[in-house]
Amino acid sequence: MPSKLPPLSSLRVFEAAARHGSFTRASKELGMTQAAVSYQMKILEERVGTPLFLRKPRQVSLTETGERIAPVVTEAFELLRAAFVMAEDASHNLLSITTVTTFATNFLAERLGNFQILHDDLAVRLDTSMSVVDFSREDFDLGIRSGDGQWQGAETHLLIPAKFSPMLSPDLAQSVGGIKKPSDLLKLPLVDASDPWWKLWFDSMGVQSEGLRGNKRSRMGIQMLEARAAEAGQGVAILTPDFYRDSLKRGSLIQPFDDVCHDEGRGYWLVYPKARRNMPKIKKFRDWLLNEVKEHCN
């Protein structure tokens, strides 16, 4: 069935005029001329099919029909106002972050509480995903992604460069009499031997990497899972040391060589649309996170 709802512009004028009992005061509130208010009321009355106001010199009063619908229209506009106030408050007070799992688990999760203590006016929603987010279509304020930092229309800040070195459990190292030289790692299964970081690291150490083909292959996709496999003694993982300092301190992982390679230009980045760079909640999180990275990863 066709909608019976009159034009919203006319209803808005009716609500103001009914509340003030005056076309003049309604026109001032709405920033319209009195003639425009009268015109909108004419449209509405024609749509309803009966007068809504009694026109008197210097004042108007509601007809019986006008009195019946005025409270309902006023309530409807109050509900709309409340809905948009809630939406605005939620937008200002909720910080939505999308992040890759490794960064969330090995860096952000244990520190995010400190941010919320400093900024208790903000609620934080954290989502972990490997997918590249379209900020114009998805409800996120900012993201943390791995890559080269070249994302069109985005403001980017490098957090942690793509550095890597082999790590394994102490028990696995002892199973071959310890790891004394880089080539000793080839005696053990590698967690995802197809990872290009392995070849880069072995090449930098002057070790022929053809032997990687003979190692057990497994693909887990994210560092966090590869690190857990290494801690469980399932193989040697190639990992970013900044993420596993606690594991190295606890001794659940060892880094047999100080040598660290870089995947030039790549790393973990803070990303958000350039148009949002001055939003207070984004500035708060950006400044806090960059400071955290500076303190803990340098």
Side-chain angles (χ1 to χ4, degrees):
M1 294 178 61
S3 172
K4 296 293 185 181
L5 186 66
L8 190 60
S9 56
S10 297
L11 287 173
R12 179 168 171 258
V13 171
F14 169 77
E15 190 277 331
R19 182 162 30 88
H20 288 293
S22 166
F23 285 1
T24 301
R25 287 197 291 271
S27 67
K28 290 180 180 178
E29 176 183 312
L30 300 174
M32 303 170 65
T33 65
Q34 189 169 344
V37 168
S38 297
Y39 176 72
Q40 290 295 332
M41 286 304 89
K42 180 181 178 183
I43 292 174
L44 185 60
E45 288 174 332
E46 287 178 353
R47 182 68 176 267
V48 174
T50 187
L52 299 175
F53 288 96
L54 295 174
R55 276 76 167 171
K56 302 176 182 177
R58 297 188 179 85
Q59 69 176 33
V60 294
S61 61
L62 290 167
T63 63
E64 184 178 345
T65 301
E67 287 179 347
R68 281 202 309 271
I69 66 173
V72 179
V73 173
T74 297
E75 183 180 3
F77 273 95
E78 285 302 321
L79 288 171
L80 286 171
R81 290 188 190 100
F84 281 96
V85 167
M86 289 173 60
E88 185 177 359
D89 288 346
S91 174
H92 289 166
N93 298 328
L94 175 65
L95 181 68
S96 297
I97 305 168
T98 175
T99 175
V100 291
T101 305
T102 295
F103 192 91
T105 303
N106 296 90
F107 189 90
L108 194 56
E110 62 191 54
R111 297 175 173 84
L112 196 55
N114 295 333
F115 172 78
Q116 293 184 283
I117 291 171
L118 289 171
H119 303 287
D120 58 3
D121 57 318
L122 287 175
V124 177
R125 178 169 69 92
L126 192 64
D127 176 81
T128 56
S129 169
M130 297 298 290
S131 302
V132 176
V133 166
D134 183 346
F135 287 108
S136 67
R137 295 177 178 270
E138 299 182 58
D139 191 21
F140 291 107
D141 295 303
L142 46 80
I144 296 164
R145 284 291 177 268
S146 60
D148 60 6
Q150 302 300 312
W151 292 286
Q152 188 173 7
E155 193 89 8
T156 60
H157 302 270
L158 180 62
L159 300 173
I160 297 176
K163 300 179 289 186
F164 48 93
S165 188
M167 298 185 195
L168 69 162
S169 71
D171 289 344
L172 186 63
Q174 288 304 314
S175 72
V176 292
I179 306 298
K180 301 178 180 63
K181 56 186 184 296
S183 59
D184 289 340
L185 294 171
L186 296 174
K187 302 173 185 176
L188 295 167
L190 306 182
V191 179
D192 194 357
S194 63
D195 189 327
W197 282 4
W198 277 118
K199 186 178 187 311
L200 289 172
W201 190 83
F202 278 119
D203 286 352
S204 74
M205 302 298 290
V207 176
Q208 294 295 317
S209 55
E210 284 78 5
L212 296 181
R213 289 195 295 269
N215 280 277
K216 183 178 180 181
R217 290 171 182 256
S218 60
R219 295 187 180 184
M220 298 188 178
I222 57 176
Q223 275 200 54
M224 180 189 72
L225 297 179
E226 293 171 0
R228 296 297 176 263
E231 287 180 320
Q234 299 299 306
V236 189
I238 189 99
L239 304 172
T240 300
D242 286 326
F243 289 142
Y244 300 101
R245 293 189 176 188
D246 289 342
S247 296
L248 293 170
K249 285 181 182 178
R250 291 194 307 266
S252 59
L253 286 174
I254 60 171
Q255 182 183 340
F257 306 101
D258 292 334
D259 303 85
V260 175
C261 281
H262 293 75
D263 194 349
E264 293 299 332
R266 299 186 68 83
Y268 292 84
W269 302 77
L270 176 64
V271 184
Y272 51 86
K274 289 183 178 180
R276 300 182 193 171
R277 60 183 176 271
N278 292 321
M279 287 181 66
K281 62 181 178 180
I282 287 180
K283 290 172 67 176
K284 288 176 182 178
F285 185 78
R286 177 191 64 210
D287 294 347
W288 171 82
L289 184 57
L290 292 177
N291 184 64
E292 286 292 306
V293 169
K294 182 179 179 180
E295 285 190 6
H296 295 281
C297 297
N298 292 326

